[in-house]
Amino acid sequence: MTGRSLEIAVRRGEETVPATIGWRREGWRYAVTISSARFDTIDEVADDAFEALCRIRGHLEPLGWRIGVVGAQTDVWPSEMARDQGGGLRAYRVGTDRIGDLVDVFEPADPETVTTVEAQRAEADRRFELIRNADAH
């Protein structure tokens, strides 16, 4: 698999600036890189691209930066199958009553529509629990 890169927006406070995010397969792992004129280039490698993205976000979020990609939106989280078989490049839109469509994790999004990894993970857990409870009844 060859790598790809996209121009996206990142936001901190009232400042929105362009950045480039790229991902590639390195052996059986995935590498994600983000660069902008406003911060140093950050590279992370993980077992799947979504996890590498979360690690990148872990560097930038304490500094106030939010990365404008669909994979950072509150209602998006990958299944284990999407991570294992698809490398975490796609994830599900998770509603409060059902799991929705697959979306591309690195698709550009308005950085005002994204959240932190911690908040996203908590919301995904909450939504999956709601779906499990609804299915049990």
Side-chain angles (χ1 to χ4, degrees):
M1 174 171 139
T2 60
R4 279 196 63 206
S5 65
L6 291 171
E7 295 300 314
I8 61 165
V10 293
R11 185 171 181 87
R12 178 170 66 180
E14 297 299 314
E15 177 185 23
T16 301
V17 297
T20 301
I21 193 160
W23 61 97
R24 66 193 177 283
R25 188 119 186 221
E26 289 189 348
W28 55 272
R29 302 187 85 198
Y30 286 82
V32 175
T33 301
I34 190 166
S35 59
S36 174
R38 295 291 286 124
F39 51 79
D40 291 335
T41 297
I42 302 169
D43 297 297
E44 279 291 347
V45 177
D47 290 343
D48 64 74
F50 185 82
E51 181 60 31
L53 173 63
C54 288
R55 291 178 184 181
I56 293 273
R57 291 168 62 197
H59 290 282
L60 292 173
E61 289 171 359
L63 304 174
W65 291 106
R66 301 294 178 264
I67 300 174
V69 294
V70 169
Q73 292 177 323
T74 303
D75 64 341
V76 173
W77 199 262
S79 67
E80 288 302 317
M81 184 181 295
R83 292 178 118 165
D84 291 343
Q85 295 180 359
L89 293 170
R90 302 194 78 203
Y92 287 98
R93 287 248 179 239
V94 184
T96 56
D97 61 341
R98 68 181 182 84
I99 297 173
D101 294 330
L102 279 169
V103 295
D104 292 326
V105 167
F106 294 102
E107 181 73 25
D110 183 339
E112 288 193 37
T113 67
V114 305
T115 190
T116 64
V117 173
E118 182 180 343
Q120 182 184 15
R121 182 174 282 123
E123 183 61 13
D125 289 347
R126 186 185 78 80
R127 289 177 184 222
F128 282 128
E129 185 66 23
L130 287 171
I131 293 166
R132 276 192 293 279
N133 288 339
D135 289 345
H137 294 99

